[in-house]
Amino acid sequence: MSETCIDAVVIGAGPAGALAARGLALQGHSVWLVDKQSFPRPKVCGCCLNQYAITSLERVGITGLVERLGGRPLERLHMIAGGRSADVPLPRGVSLSRGALDGALIEAAKLAGADFIDGVSAKVQTLGGTAEEGHRVSLGSGNSVVARVLVIADGLGGSSLSAVEGYRVETAPASRIGLGGVTRSPVTQPTIPRGTIAMACGQDGYLGVVELEDGRLDFAAAIDAAAIKQAGGIAQAARRLVEQSGLGDHDWPMDDVERWRATPALTRTRKRIAGPGLFVVGDAAGYVEPFTGEGMAWAIAGGSAVSEVASEAVQKWDTSQEIRWVERHRARIRNRQAGCKLVAATLRRPWLTRVVVRSLSAWPGIANPLVRRIAAPATASDPAPTPYTREGSFA
Ligand SMILES: Cc1cc2nc3c(=O)[nH]c(=O)nc-3n(C[C@H](O)[C@H](O)[C@H](O)COP(=O)(O)OP(=O)(O)OC[C@H]3O[C@@H](n4cnc5c(N)ncnc54)[C@H](O)[C@@H]3O)c2cc1C
């Protein structure tokens, strides 16, 4: 049995956790970034980074990363529904595998001074009353750590806070679930046009496919849970979505997917996302649906922003820190989730989806206001947290 005391423990090493850990380490704190899975780990995701995600990385000094990792530029969303299709132009996005992106963000956190511990499941045991007392987190095998500050970034379905009162997660009734997988081998000839996210929309949900930096294809879907049972499995349900879209004959290599995986219910809210010396961020703070491909952007922006208020809490806990995190989260993330909710509601009505696709094919420009809103770059109204504005501090 061993116990260590540390400034901050960040639970979950996806984009939200890695950026929170990096931000805290850059401010001179001792940080453990803990993940229950061994990296690189599989993650159901559409792997599309939008302009907000890329500019949010740039605002915290991570410039040129997606280009260095070979991210494939994305120019359009090709929507298919009811046998018709339409193209929506996209501003400055890229497709990039989660292995490459998450690995690079963890490296950035390590470079800033954070310790990364993977393959260890963390669970919050008790919450303390002051920063000096700290919060106790169990790390399995009889080990635990006491942290002055906790950042919870354990994603969809994370249960690291389940033993603590008041932080319950509520899933929306009839929420869709996610499913997806990546092909074993790179495509030898283009199955979807370069720079395209192809999205097949059916009555049970929608399935997107993009080419990754190494030529493999990433499939990701949101689907009614009952449809998986009816289809007889995850892979079968994914194929049925493509049939329902009316795409017809296609050469999407769905049989080559290494392993189809499913997620817990997607649409969820956490009633409380901050407490004394405790901040929740990324999917763990609430999620909508993936059609607009924004979850990583919210995680990146949130993970970077939380480090400033969490850093203050390392010194002393103050209720103003909780209030500020709730307000910032609302301003940066919750408000942006509104557009996604609207699109998700439309996609629940197959007849309306068909009308939208028909309208888009006739007047592609009608999507521009929504696309501009969703993918708006991080700007001065999204102020970069102070550690990154201090000259040279993010080297
Ligand atoms: C079908 C689908 C398609 C999507 N497509 C896109 C897209 O194209 N573009 C986009 O921007 N977003 C997309 N998203 C959303 C995106 O995947 C998430 O929003 C993003 O990964 C959230 O990052 P995060 O850091 O909050 O959580 P995650 O990336 O999920 O990381 C959480 C981490 O916490 C770890 N963890 C959990 N419990 C514990 C524990 N007890 N102890 C230690 N570690 C723990 C997990 O192992 C995991 O590594 C999609 C999501 C789905 C489901």
Side-chain angles (χ1 to χ4, degrees):
M1 174 101 171
S2 66
E3 188 166 88
T4 312
C5 296
I6 193 159
D7 288 343
V9 168
V10 178
I11 302 180
L19 283 154
R22 174 178 178 269
L24 279 158
L26 284 175
Q27 290 167 95
H29 303 299
S30 53
V31 185
W32 283 6
L33 173 62
V34 185
D35 202 289
K36 68 177 179 185
Q37 299 189 67
S38 298
F39 277 63
R41 52 100 167 84
K43 166 79 182 86
V44 172
C45 186
C47 296
C48 301
L49 284 162
N50 68 12
Q51 183 171 228
Y52 183 47
I54 298 167
T55 50
S56 294
L57 286 173
E58 288 166 351
R59 285 190 66 74
V60 294
I62 302 180
T63 51
L65 179 78
V66 293
E67 292 81 1
R68 276 201 302 285
L69 295 173
R72 294 266 170 101
L74 292 171
E75 286 156 16
R76 74 191 74 80
L77 170 69
H78 181 70
M79 265 180 92
I80 308 137
R84 311 274 292 252
S85 65
D87 282 346
V88 177
L90 299 174
R92 201 191 167 194
V94 297
S95 61
L96 186 61
S97 67
R98 290 299 299 261
L101 177 73
D102 293 20
L105 296 180
I106 290 168
E107 281 310 310
K110 283 162 65 180
L111 196 66
D115 288 316
F116 174 52
I117 304 162
D118 63 346
V120 169
S121 182
K123 189 154 194 142
V124 182
Q125 277 179 318
T126 51
L127 297 181
T130 61
E132 290 71 35
E133 205 181 319
H135 302 308
R136 176 166 282 102
V137 179
S138 78
L139 299 173
S141 313
N143 295 316
S144 59
V145 60
V146 173
R148 294 170 78 94
V149 163
L150 283 181
V151 176
I152 308 297
D154 58 0
L156 277 183
S159 57
S160 64
L161 274 176
S162 60
V164 175
E165 284 278 307
Y167 291 88
R168 214 162 33 88
V169 172
E170 280 174 15
T171 52
S175 164
R176 285 183 160 156
I177 64 165
L179 60 83
V182 180
T183 54
R184 285 183 195 88
S185 31
V187 283
T188 44
Q189 45 195 351
T191 31
I192 49 168
R194 272 271 152 97
T196 301
I197 307 169
M199 186 74 76
C201 307
Q203 57 264 34
D204 295 338
Y206 45 90
L207 172 97
V209 53
V210 287
E211 194 174 323
L212 298 173
E213 71 278 8
D214 53 10
R216 291 176 304 152
L217 295 184
D218 177 273
F219 290 91
I223 189 167
D224 297 331
I228 296 185
K229 224 174 177 183
Q230 280 162 14
I234 307 176
Q236 294 87 331
R239 277 188 210 98
R240 210 158 84 163
L241 278 180
V242 180
E243 280 162 29
Q244 287 176 355
S245 76
L247 176 64
D249 287 343
H250 65 85
D251 50 3
W252 293 6
M254 299 175 77
D255 291 337
D256 191 41
V257 168
E258 194 171 359
R259 182 168 162 198
W260 289 93
R261 294 170 200 274
T263 71
L266 294 168
T267 307
R268 53 184 57 226
T269 47
R270 194 185 288 270
K271 289 287 166 224
R272 186 171 183 190
I273 61 160
L278 189 157
F279 307 93
V280 187
V281 67
D283 282 5
Y287 189 62
V288 192
E289 260 196 41
F291 185 85
T292 54
E294 295 175 86
M296 286 188 283
W298 300 329
I300 289 167
S304 305
V306 80
S307 64
E308 188 183 17
V309 66
S311 168
E312 229 182 88
V314 172
Q315 314 303 332
K316 190 175 185 302
W317 296 349
D318 187 317
T319 43
S320 74
Q321 293 151 1
E322 297 164 45
I323 295 166
R324 253 183 301 147
W325 177 237
V326 171
E327 281 171 359
R328 278 187 194 181
H329 187 266
R330 188 181 303 124
R332 282 164 186 254
I333 319 284
R334 281 260 169 102
N335 289 348
R336 283 183 177 257
Q337 289 179 339
C340 186
K341 276 188 187 149
L342 180 73
V343 176
T346 305
L347 291 163
R348 289 275 170 155
R349 295 165 182 81
W351 66 269
L352 188 54
T353 310
R354 287 196 292 273
V355 170
V356 168
V357 169
R358 244 177 262 152
S359 310
L360 282 170
S361 98
W363 306 286
I366 55 172
N368 288 351
L370 184 63
V371 172
R372 271 200 295 269
R373 186 192 152 122
I374 287 169
T379 61
S381 64
D382 272 317
T386 43
Y388 311 107
T389 54
R390 250 186 270 134
E391 211 171 321
S393 60
F394 48 74

